[in-house]
Amino acid sequence: MSHTHQTLGEFIIENQAAFAYSSGELSKLINSIRLAAKVVNHEVNKAGLVDILGNAGNKNESGENQQKLDVYANDMFINTLSNRNIVCGIASEEEESFISINSQDENHQNKYVVLIDPLDGSSNIDVNVSVGTIFSVYRRVTPIGTPVTIEDFLQPGKNQVAAGYVVYGTSTMLVYTTGAGVNGFTLNPAIGTFYLSHPNMSYPKNGRIYSVNEGNYIHFPQGVKKYIKYCQQEEGDRPYTSRYIGSMVSDFHRNMLKGGIFMYPKSSKAEEGKLRLLYECNPMAFLAEQANGKASDGFNRILDIRPRELHQRVPFFCGSKNMVDKLEEFMQEEQASNY
Ligand code: P6P
């Protein structure tokens, strides 16, 4: 990576003024995510070496209890975000309830809440497949000066002020938006610096990749089955290519670059789908729309859904706009034929 490329730090400073009502706190927040991402990246990259794979309870070299990587990542992001006087609350896939951050904020003056999936796809680490961290940021809606409440976390995704992911892949990238497009930064591990490698990321309008776990085919709604068969038909630019890594951040990232649709439908095995609305689907939907793509539950815009609970699941279809539009057509045809 040429050192003439803009670094993440320079990018944050240059764009801080462009971010509405920013008093630098959001920049500090993105910077703390950058730091945690580097530390987690180091652990993920050596996971196979120090037998950290799923063996919680072992002692590490300093005699501390070794943690599973997702627990390690969870602790790292929570500690890094908590100790910089930026956020008033954090919710995580690894935590049953939200965490009120008042270690240095006893007057509850901090404005932001963060929701994270600290290590999505962690089961893939044992087989050396890419994994990712996903984050979502909101301004609190309850009065500053009072303790954060669940209401601050149960906001529709359209209220997000920032969202992004870290993909720990063949290279480690931080991809995020603050509502002014999507930019991707690649880590140079030799010097621990993220460089702007993918400015203004955008889905190709049409794609030829569909990503779904076809092992669940017989359990899918009729509309999804019809769309999958549509992708496989010999007609026009079809058949499409099937690509499914089983790690959403990686499938999402590839499809945003090349064009495609990612699908995790509901099924008779998972009535609400598998993916979580607040810290998986909402941040990815914000990124998708900022990259001129689309994200839907098959009928409704993901970002319009009013959450009921912290760990709520939702069917998820996300990617190139024309492909999601076509999927929705099949879903709506099925719904109409059921009446
Ligand atoms: P399945 C990983 O566990 C994850 O949460 C996503 O990253 C991924 O897209 C999905 O689950 C894979 O689920 O049921 O196809 O193995």
Side-chain angles (χ1 to χ4, degrees):
M1 176 70 64
S2 153
H3 302 302
T4 59
H5 283 66
Q6 191 173 37
T7 68
L8 175 55
E10 291 164 338
F11 181 88
I12 290 171
I13 292 167
E14 189 176 286
N15 291 279
Q16 173 163 308
F19 179 65
Y21 44 72
S22 163
S23 54
E25 284 164 306
L26 188 70
S27 301
K28 278 168 69 179
L29 200 158
I30 301 291
N31 266 316
S32 57
I33 287 173
R34 167 176 64 159
L35 173 62
K38 289 184 198 177
V39 177
V40 171
N41 174 65
H42 178 68
E43 288 304 311
V44 167
N45 284 344
K46 69 179 188 181
L49 300 175
V50 293
D51 192 28
I52 198 171
L53 300 179
N55 297 303
N58 292 0
K59 298 286 183 195
N60 64 18
E61 58 278 9
S62 47
E64 296 139 6
N65 262 333
Q66 213 155 7
Q67 295 173 320
K68 283 179 67 174
L69 263 178
D70 42 12
V71 175
Y72 176 87
N74 186 54
D75 293 351
M76 183 51 61
F77 276 95
I78 288 175
N79 294 339
T80 307
L81 286 164
S82 304
N83 300 327
R84 281 170 173 72
N85 220 7
I86 311 164
V87 301
C88 53
I90 298 175
S92 168
E93 180 176 51
E94 298 290 329
E95 305 287 338
E96 185 54 37
S97 178
F98 67 85
I99 301 167
S100 178
I101 307 295
N102 40 36
S103 47
Q104 300 170 1
D105 181 28
E106 61 279 1
N107 301 322
H108 309 293
Q109 293 303 304
N110 294 342
K111 294 198 283 283
Y112 297 101
V113 296
V114 179
L115 299 98
I116 54 170
D117 182 355
L119 209 60
D120 180 66
S122 52
S123 58
N124 289 309
I125 287 181
D126 297 19
V127 293
N128 210 4
V129 165
S130 301
V131 292
T133 297
I134 309 171
F135 64 90
S136 170
V137 185
Y138 295 83
R139 284 170 65 86
R140 68 178 297 178
V141 290
T142 54
I144 287 183
T146 63
V148 71
T149 74
I150 187 65
E151 199 185 338
D152 294 305
F153 296 91
L154 297 185
Q155 299 185 52
K158 62 190 168 190
N159 289 6
Q160 290 174 96
V161 293
Y165 58 82
V166 184
V167 52
Y168 309 99
T170 44
S171 58
T172 294
M173 282 191 69
L174 171 59
V175 178
Y176 80 96
T177 182
T178 56
V182 178
N183 290 284
F185 301 82
T186 299
L187 179 67
N188 177 340
I191 57 173
T193 300
F194 280 100
Y195 286 95
L196 177 61
S197 53
H198 296 68
N200 300 312
M201 297 176 81
S202 181
Y203 277 96
K205 204 169 181 63
N206 292 301
R208 299 192 61 257
I209 297 172
Y210 71 100
S211 306
V212 66
N213 183 342
E214 296 193 54
N216 297 324
Y217 179 85
I218 58 168
H219 303 292
F220 287 153
Q222 202 55 32
V224 174
K225 289 181 180 176
K226 285 186 177 173
Y227 180 69
I228 291 173
K229 289 306 165 201
Y230 170 84
C231 293
Q232 295 169 342
Q233 262 171 352
E234 188 87 39
E235 188 179 339
D237 62 346
R238 287 170 285 134
Y240 296 152
T241 298
S242 173
R243 286 284 182 276
Y244 191 70
I245 298 170
S247 191
M248 177 175 57
V249 171
S250 300
D251 281 315
F252 179 95
H253 187 74
R254 179 205 53 243
N255 289 357
M256 183 160 64
L257 289 171
K258 294 183 177 289
I261 183 170
F262 173 86
M263 300 183 275
Y264 208 101
K266 73 175 187 179
S267 70
S268 45
K269 292 196 309 181
E271 275 306 310
E272 297 295 322
K274 173 182 182 184
L275 301 178
R276 310 287 187 168
L277 172 61
L278 289 183
Y279 40 78
E280 290 175 335
C281 300
N282 270 339
M284 300 315 252
F286 187 21
L287 288 162
E289 291 196 2
Q290 285 291 311
N292 305 305
K294 183 170 183 177
S296 158
D297 66 0
F299 304 96
N300 310 291
R301 182 187 182 220
I302 289 287
L303 296 183
D304 286 339
I305 297 174
R306 293 207 65 80
R308 298 183 311 274
E309 55 182 23
L310 212 48
H311 300 288
Q312 171 179 347
R313 299 175 194 269
V314 68
F316 190 53
F317 304 91
C318 178
S320 295
K321 187 179 180 311
N322 291 356
M323 298 180 84
V324 178
D325 286 345
K326 193 66 185 172
L327 175 279
E328 285 185 329
E329 264 180 48
F330 283 105
M331 296 295 282
Q332 282 142 19
E333 256 174 47
E334 175 199 356
Q335 190 176 57
S337 65
N338 289 343
Y339 287 111

